[in-house]
Amino acid sequence: SPITLKCEEYMHKVRPVAIEKARATNIGVVGTWNTSQSCGALGFYAEKIANAGMIGLLMVTSPEFVAPHGAKQPILGTNPITIGWPRGDGNPPIIMDMATSELALGKVREAMARGDSVPDGAIITSSGEASTGGCGWGWARSPRHTSW
């Protein structure tokens, strides 16, 4: 039966639990709850699962960080999707790790930390205007992000 783990505290436990369940029943389903912030790069976990010889499919929800085109406030999450599968013969697994938004939240945070800009229109200001961020942008939500 599925178990529930709190994402931001227990994500590192997902891999061994899912693998153990899959070995016992041919499928390992692990859920998270209260995912109020990023769980980090899900590709890390998918790669570990693929290296164990299994297919790893990870999907998480996120708070309302994304403003759809033309909107002035976020109403959607970045809702990342990640899959990893083994290739065998000593080859590294294939990993796909993506956000369902224009930019992943981590990419926006990296640009902010460096004081760099993001592509025009990838974020919006709190008044809904397209922005590139840059050094003076303070904080931005995930793409189409809203500064707050």
Side-chain angles (χ1 to χ4, degrees):
S1 65
I3 65 167
T4 303
L5 301 172
K6 192 173 178 184
C7 184
E8 56 270 7
E9 294 177 6
Y10 300 112
M11 190 55 130
H12 65 281
K13 294 182 180 181
V14 169
R15 178 188 52 85
V17 170
I19 290 171
E20 177 183 321
K21 287 177 161 290
R23 286 193 173 129
T25 65
N26 293 324
I27 187 166
V29 178
V30 180
T32 62
W33 65 279
N34 197 22
T35 310
S36 60
Q37 54 188 311
S38 174
C39 292
L42 295 177
F44 172 81
Y45 304 102
E47 182 176 9
K48 298 292 185 186
I49 293 167
N51 284 337
M54 300 177 185
I55 296 171
L57 175 63
L58 298 87
M59 295 178 278
V60 297
T61 61
S62 68
E64 296 82 11
F65 289 139
V66 180
H69 182 73
K72 295 192 180 285
Q73 66 181 25
I75 60 171
L76 304 171
T78 59
N79 305 326
I81 301 170
T82 304
I83 188 167
W85 59 93
R87 294 195 300 165
D89 299 329
N91 292 309
I94 296 174
I95 307 295
M96 181 206 66
D97 188 357
M98 60 174 268
T100 58
S101 54
E102 185 172 331
L103 294 174
L105 179 58
K107 297 295 182 194
V108 173
R109 287 180 175 164
E110 288 173 8
M112 288 171 42
R114 291 188 310 266
D116 292 343
S117 297
V118 296
D120 189 30
I123 62 171
I124 58 174
T125 65
S126 58
S127 62
E129 301 299 319
S131 176
T132 60
C135 294
W137 63 348
W139 183 248
R141 289 189 172 217
S142 190
R144 200 168 126 141
H145 304 299
T146 306
S147 299
W148 79 91

